[in-house]
């Protein structure tokens, strides 16, 4: 970073919150893009010229104004738990670490208003102490921030009941534009869509109001099946049982459960598994449904142990991939959507074609109010060419792929890329916010 930048930025923030040492720049220019061997190769050398750590909205605005005047790119980051290089600066410049904007501002009936740097794990604890809880959260929730999740994620634990971020789970956001005099926008309803899963390309989100749910006492259990098809069918049947509240339905084929070393002694070798979070008092009904479909109740974590021991959700969503990577660094993953009316055929075709080269892991969710079968398959990575052969096979057989091996935003969650492009032009006229992450005409 040029010397004149350093002096002016120190004047704005103070010396302690401008980091120019190489260790800090390396560490805070990275996220979990290394889940992808493709992104690992492409992004490992990318680094910011400097890191700034604002403590409030006034300083966020000052940094944006400074960067606009000096034509410096700005990439925003939360905890850096994203998987697509969302927080990696492709063109250097400033990485703005939002971790000090971490106040819980207000909790009301059915909502929480927070600064963007609040960690989801802390917010969940705060809410549950007050008779409420998060509706949805990622498997990285103990580290992930609210702003990082809203601007870089989509769904997670709880999505089986409450859907994804676009399904009324974000109520309001405060957003700063990238201009010489940044504007503070307050957006609600569908006007939020260009700022959800936007990687900080359309504006910098500083404050969020998210929907909460009444607190439920959750228990967890594993249901074993002889094959993945039966496990997924059971998951669908349970998902449709509206009388059984649930937070998680995660079927996966063997040998995926073998990667979960902390659970090694309590999982049935060779069996497909469905990891569940269900309301306390519903196990009898769930067990009866499982037995009617050839399933067996395995490991149980009672509601009294919720959050007091490692939970089953720590092995689901993209934590499944993380546990697999710990055991086998050659593994990567895809993000896919199977057809709710023909997933058995799609599973058979994929297993017949690829065998253990592709290991299937699913999450039953709601998307726009409709039951959907999301999937994060594990792939034994051989080459980039082979990876895209697998992707083409999935797509040729009706499985939608949301490519996790690119940093380019090609969809704002529900086809809102057009709205994001318009907001990009409107709020960031010089194209300085996280450049390269969205394709648009200035």
């Amino acid at each position: 970073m040029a010397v004149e930048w350093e002096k002016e930025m120190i004047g704005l923030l103070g010396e302690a919150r401008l980091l120019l040492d190489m260790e800090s720049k390396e560490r805070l220019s990275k996220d979990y893009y290394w889940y992808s061997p493709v992104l690992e190769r492409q992004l490992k050398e990318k680094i910011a010229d400097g890191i700034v750590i604002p403590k409030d909205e006034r300083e966020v605005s000052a940094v944006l104004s400074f960067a606009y005047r000096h034509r410096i790119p700005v990439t925003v980051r939360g905890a850096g738990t994203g998987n697509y290089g969302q927080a990696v600066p492709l063109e250097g410049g400033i990485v703005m670490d939002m971790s000090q904007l971490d106040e819980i501002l207000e909790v009301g009936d059915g909502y929480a208003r927070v600064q963007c740097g609040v960690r989801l794990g802390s917010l969940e604890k705060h809410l549950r102490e007050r008779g409420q809880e998060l509706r949805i959260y990622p498997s990285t929730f103990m580290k992930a921030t609210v702003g990082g999740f809203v601007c870089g994620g989509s769904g997670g634990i709880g999505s089986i009941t409450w859907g994804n971020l676009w399904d009324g789970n974000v109520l309001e956001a405060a957003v700063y534009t990238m201009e010489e005099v940044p504007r503070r926008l307050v957006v609600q309803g569908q006007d939020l869509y260009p700022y959800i899963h936007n990687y900080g390309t359309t504006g910098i989100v500083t404050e969020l109001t998210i929907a909460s749910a009444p607190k439920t006492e959750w228990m967890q259990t594993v249901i074993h099946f002889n094959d993945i098809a039966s496990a997924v069918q059971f998951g669908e049947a349970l998902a449709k049982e509206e009388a059984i509240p649930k937070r998680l339905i995660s079927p996966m084929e063997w040998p995926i459960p073998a990667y979960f070393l902390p659970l090694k002694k309590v999982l049935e070798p060779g069996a497909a598994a469905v990891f569940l979070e269900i309301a306390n008092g519903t196990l009898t009904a769930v067990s009866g449904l499982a037995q009617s479909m050839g399933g067996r109740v395995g490991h149980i974590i009672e509601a009294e142990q919720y959050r007091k021991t490692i939970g089953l959700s720590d092995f689901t969503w993209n934590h499944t991939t993380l546990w697999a990577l710990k055991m086998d660094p050659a593994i990567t993953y895809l993000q896919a959507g199977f057809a709710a009316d023909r997933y058995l055929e799609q599973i058979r075709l994929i297993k017949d074609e690829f065998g253990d080269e592709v290991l299937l892991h699913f999450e039953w969710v709601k998307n726009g109010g409709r039951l959907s079968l999301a999937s994060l398959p594990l792939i034994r990575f051989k080459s980039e060419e082979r990876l895209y052969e697998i992707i083409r096979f999935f797509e040729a057989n009706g499985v939608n792929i949301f490519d996790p091996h690119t940093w380019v935003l090609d969809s704002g969650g529900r086809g809102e890329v057009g709205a994001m492009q318009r907001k990009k032009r409107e709020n960031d006229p010089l194209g300085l916010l996280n450049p390269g992450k969205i394709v648009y005409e200035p």
Side-chain angles (χ1 to χ4, degrees):
M1 183 176 285
V3 174
E4 60 269 22
W5 292 13
E6 183 177 346
K7 291 179 179 177
E8 187 175 347
M9 190 62 75
I10 288 172
L12 290 173
L13 303 183
E15 193 167 0
R17 286 180 288 112
L18 170 63
L19 307 180
L20 299 175
D21 63 285
M22 187 57 68
E23 189 278 330
S24 294
K25 292 193 295 184
E26 285 275 4
R27 177 171 53 87
L28 295 171
S29 294
K30 308 297 182 188
D31 60 15
Y32 286 17
Y33 65 81
W34 44 265
Y35 274 43
S36 163
V38 178
L39 294 180
E40 167 71 12
R41 173 179 57 81
Q42 295 172 331
L43 295 178
K44 62 183 178 181
E45 303 297 331
K46 303 296 183 182
I47 188 171
D49 295 306
I51 311 296
V52 299
I53 310 174
K55 71 176 188 301
D56 55 32
E57 289 193 2
R58 182 191 64 79
E59 291 188 349
V60 170
S61 180
V63 170
L64 292 174
S65 177
F66 166 87
Y68 184 89
R69 286 183 280 107
H70 290 279
R71 306 301 193 259
I72 302 169
V74 174
T75 302
V76 70
R77 69 174 277 125
T81 58
N83 304 121
Y84 326 117
Q86 296 105 309
V88 177
L90 299 180
E91 299 180 12
I94 291 168
V95 163
M96 185 155 56
D97 180 336
M98 307 294 277
S99 59
Q100 290 197 7
L101 277 76
D102 61 354
E103 279 190 64
I104 297 173
L105 301 169
E106 180 184 4
V107 171
D109 185 16
Y111 71 90
R113 184 169 65 89
V114 301
Q115 290 185 313
C116 61
V118 169
R119 293 185 185 269
L120 286 159
S122 297
L123 181 56
E124 168 81 343
K125 182 175 184 293
H126 187 86
L127 286 169
R128 287 182 69 83
E129 289 170 352
R130 289 156 179 79
Q132 299 188 62
E133 65 186 21
L134 295 171
R135 281 190 179 190
I136 61 172
Y137 56 91
S139 57
T140 55
F141 81 109
M142 290 306 294
K143 292 183 178 180
T145 64
V146 178
F149 178 44
V150 170
C151 296
S154 57
I157 294 97
S159 286
I160 182 57
T161 297
W162 298 107
N164 292 320
L165 287 167
W166 299 267
D167 292 319
N169 290 304
V170 184
L171 303 177
E172 185 174 279
V175 184
Y176 278 83
T177 64
M178 179 55 143
E179 300 170 285
E180 186 165 4
V181 181
R183 291 170 290 141
R184 187 183 193 269
L185 310 175
V186 177
V187 293
Q188 300 173 332
Q190 292 192 2
D191 291 339
L192 286 161
Y193 286 10
Y195 304 105
I196 296 174
H197 200 73
N198 75 331
Y199 301 0
T201 60
T202 58
I204 303 298
V205 173
T206 57
E207 186 181 300
L208 286 151
T209 303
I210 60 170
S212 60
K215 175 182 173 181
T216 297
E217 298 299 333
W218 300 105
M219 68 162 298
Q220 302 158 80
T221 187
V222 180
I223 310 293
H224 295 294
F225 288 87
N226 292 338
D227 57 82
I228 185 61
S230 299
V232 180
Q233 285 180 294
F234 163 75
E236 179 182 18
L238 178 59
K240 291 177 176 178
E241 287 286 347
E242 296 293 338
I244 300 176
K246 70 277 295 184
R247 217 176 193 186
L248 178 72
I249 302 176
S250 181
M252 59 193 76
E253 70 171 310
W254 187 268
I256 293 175
Y259 296 127
F260 306 153
L261 290 184
L263 301 178
K264 185 175 181 180
K265 294 180 180 179
V266 297
L267 296 178
E268 183 180 319
V274 186
F275 283 26
L276 302 177
E277 283 193 18
I278 53 176
N280 196 29
T282 63
L283 182 59
T284 299
V286 170
S287 175
L289 178 63
Q291 290 174 8
S292 73
M293 301 182 72
R296 306 169 291 282
V297 175
H299 183 51
I300 294 171
I301 302 175
E302 300 291 352
E304 293 78 12
Q305 294 301 309
Y306 197 62
R307 303 282 186 241
K308 295 178 182 178
T309 184
I310 190 166
L312 296 184
S313 65
D314 291 308
F315 303 92
T316 64
W317 288 85
N318 230 358
H319 258 62
T320 304
T321 311
L322 181 60
W323 284 102
L325 275 166
K326 288 180 180 181
M327 296 290 289
D328 184 353
I331 282 177
T332 188
Y333 75 115
L334 293 176
Q335 294 178 153
F338 280 62
D341 59 350
R342 55 175 295 222
Y343 63 81
L344 291 175
E345 176 194 1
Q346 291 170 329
I347 289 171
R348 179 182 57 78
L349 289 168
I350 289 166
K351 296 308 297 181
D352 285 351
E353 181 72 16
F354 299 112
D356 282 352
E357 186 180 0
V358 175
L359 299 175
L360 294 175
H361 157 214
F362 297 96
E363 305 286 348
W364 279 106
V365 301
K366 285 185 179 174
N367 191 347
R370 299 194 314 182
L371 193 62
S372 300
L373 183 58
S375 180
L376 295 118
L378 302 182
I379 310 294
R380 298 189 188 280
F381 184 77
K382 297 177 179 177
S383 68
E384 192 170 337
E385 292 74 21
R386 178 60 171 169
L387 178 65
Y388 281 92
E389 284 178 13
I390 294 170
I391 287 174
R392 286 192 292 273
F393 184 90
F394 272 62
E395 292 177 331
N397 287 286
V399 179
N400 293 325
I401 294 293
F402 310 96
D403 189 357
H405 303 283
T406 176
W407 59 74
V408 178
L409 278 163
D410 60 359
S411 171
R414 289 200 184 147
E416 288 297 315
V417 69
M420 293 177 73
Q421 290 167 334
R422 290 190 293 274
K423 284 299 174 188
K424 177 75 171 172
R425 289 189 289 268
E426 184 179 323
N427 294 346
D428 181 22
L430 298 182
L432 295 171
L433 290 177
N434 209 350
K437 302 293 172 63
I438 185 171
V439 177
Y440 76 110
E441 292 294 329

